[in-house]
Amino acid sequence: MNEALPDHRRLGRELGLFGTDPLMGAGLPYWLPDGAVVRHTLEEYVREAERAAGYRHVYSPVLGKRELYELSGHWDHYSDDMFPPMRLGAEEAVLRPSLCPHHALIYRSRPHSHHELPLRIAELGTMYRAELSGVLGGLTRVRAIQLNDAHVFCTPDQVVHEARAALELIARAYADLGIDAVRHRLSLPGGGGKYVADPGLWSRATGLLREVLAEAGVAYEEAEGEAAFYGPKIDVQIADPAGRESTLSTVQIDFHQPARFDLRYTGADGAPHRPVMVHRSVIGSVERAVAHLIEVHRGAFPAWLAPVQLVVLPVAEEQAEQAAALVRQAVARGLRAELAGPGHGTLAARVRAARLVPYQAVIGAREAGSGLAAVRLRDGRRIGALPVADLLGRIAGRVAARGTLLWE
């Protein structure tokens, strides 16, 4: 590993974001308070974006009977990546390798009319993958994956629109997070028995995804052998600082599982029809997304995502009271703010220690007497002295707007 390049494992330790312990097991990291803030903020961002896009959120169990995954096709096509079944009396339970079978059961739990479609179901849920110890590392390859997953149940006429809308949702999230997609890939089946044997299904789904990409004006490359076992997919590829590619976000069109689960809706003609299932993930695995954000931003996260958004620095103990009041006001505005007083070292040392915090507010004798704070930005800019209310309003505005811009 080239230590000159940012590596999320090293940065994660240095910044106190996450860790591992052999007693917990390989591929099972824990999140420290600052890392938990980043993760929670990212998850809430995704939930909010999905709600605005018409998704309804659900919870489903992390276990399922073996029969569930036999029905979905995971047992036949994906069992090498699944944990062994657990015997529960006369039944066998399995840690879920995917959320889609659970969402299919939620859909079929009651009748549906064409008037309800598209029905968009989303969940931030854990799935499990029996990765070999040799491939595990940091947050990018783990055994318990917090997946930003969603499934759209729609009519055939709605598929292209829904898949394209998912691509647009992904693009907006990348802009807010400061993530660049290096390319889009149309992942197709390869040889062998890994894939569902239904040429008509593959041809129809692949044609629709090509239509989605054409309508979106997105350049793409085709790759055989990278599809899901049940259908082709659009993979949004990212690259780490060393140029290694991985998939972060996906959009898939699935005719297989609606048929396996006998999913139906009542059409305008009063007859039963089969819905199409669009699988989509805006940020994919939360673990992989955070790993990428750590490396892209080298710990200097966008202001809305930063563990600490504002640090208040009294020059001397005489300004400690005013500084503490500013912290309380910031917290009341919903900002993550901390006090770094003279007990933490010289002002210069405290400024250096807070170098990754987006906003620094320095309060000296002049500022304390006038209700001001001297503002420094993480990028080195000095904004000057501002009234405390104006400062907090500006910061809150930038946080609410998201994106990577620090100041306007």
Side-chain angles (χ1 to χ4, degrees), residues 112-157:
H112 297 279
S113 161
H114 67 282
H115 294 297
E116 299 175 65
L117 305 186
L119 179 63
R120 307 179 185 99
I121 294 175
E123 182 175 0
L124 272 158
T126 307
M127 69 177 197
Y128 298 86
R129 185 170 295 163
E131 298 275 18
L132 297 175
S133 297
V135 301
L136 298 171
L139 297 176
T140 54
R141 295 293 290 268
V142 294
R143 287 174 170 157
I145 302 164
Q146 187 74 5
L147 188 67
N148 159 230
D149 205 10
H151 299 92
V152 181
F153 300 89
C154 60
T155 70
D157 290 343

Side-chain angles (χ1 to χ4, degrees), residues 187-189 195-207 227-232:
S187 294
L188 305 173
Y195 304 98
V196 170
D198 190 329
L201 174 155
W202 288 98
S203 176
R204 187 179 177 194
T206 301
F229 73 83
Y230 49 79

Side-chain angles (χ1 to χ4, degrees), residues 23-36:
L23 283 177
M24 291 187 189
L28 298 168
Y30 56 82
W31 296 80
L32 294 164
D34 279 357

Side-chain angles (χ1 to χ4, degrees), residues 308-321:
V308 179
Q309 295 164 326
L310 169 66
V311 63
V312 183
L313 305 151
V315 174
E317 286 293 344
E318 289 76 13
Q319 294 89 46
E321 183 178 339

Side-chain angles (χ1 to χ4, degrees), residues 45-261:
Y45 166 80
V46 171
R47 287 191 181 97
E48 183 182 320
E50 288 172 337
R51 283 193 295 268
Y55 287 82
R56 305 289 300 278
H57 290 92
V58 299
Y59 290 104
S60 59
V62 298
L63 289 172
K65 292 173 65 174
R66 172 175 166 170
E67 289 87 345
L68 171 60
Y69 307 110
E70 290 174 339
L71 178 60
S72 70
H74 285 83
W75 191 258
D76 289 338
H77 298 278
Y78 200 71
S79 58
D80 288 346
D81 294 304
M82 295 170 62
F83 281 97
M86 295 173 277
R87 176 65 63 179
L88 299 175
E91 299 178 345
E92 287 186 324
V94 181
L95 286 168
R96 66 178 173 195
S98 174
L99 279 68
C100 46
H102 296 247
H103 289 186
L105 293 182
I106 290 173
Y107 176 86
R108 82 174 194 184
S109 65
R110 63 179 181 82
H112 297 279
S113 161
H114 67 282
H115 294 297
E116 299 175 65
L117 305 186
L119 179 63
R120 307 179 185 99
I121 294 175
E123 182 175 0
L124 272 158
T126 307
M127 69 177 197
Y128 298 86
R129 185 170 295 163
E131 298 275 18
L132 297 175
S133 297
V135 301
L136 298 171
L139 297 176
T140 54
R141 295 293 290 268
V142 294
R143 287 174 170 157
I145 302 164
Q146 187 74 5
L147 188 67
N148 159 230
D149 205 10
H151 299 92
V152 181
F153 300 89
C154 60
T155 70
D157 290 343
Q158 295 168 334
V159 172
V160 171
H161 173 79
E162 290 300 315
R164 180 177 174 182
L167 277 181
E168 292 170 353
L169 192 57
I170 291 167
R172 288 198 298 273
Y174 280 27
D176 287 343
L177 291 163
I179 295 175
D180 293 321
V182 294
R183 67 186 177 107
H184 289 70
R185 184 178 73 189
L186 178 58
S187 294
L188 305 173
K194 175 183 174 183
Y195 304 98
V196 170
D198 190 329
L201 174 155
W202 288 98
S203 176
R204 187 179 177 194
T206 301
L208 287 169
L209 286 179
R210 287 197 176 106
E211 187 177 342
V212 170
L213 289 161
E215 282 197 11
V218 174
Y220 65 95
E221 300 172 13
E222 297 187 2
E224 293 187 358
E226 297 293 339
F229 73 83
Y230 49 79
K233 57 193 174 89
I234 297 170
D235 290 324
V236 183
Q237 300 295 102
I238 58 171
D240 69 12
R244 294 182 293 260
E245 273 195 26
S246 61
T247 301
L248 186 60
S249 312
T250 61
V251 179
Q252 308 168 34
I253 291 177
D254 179 9
F255 294 100
H256 170 72
Q257 291 193 70
R260 296 279 289 195
F261 284 94

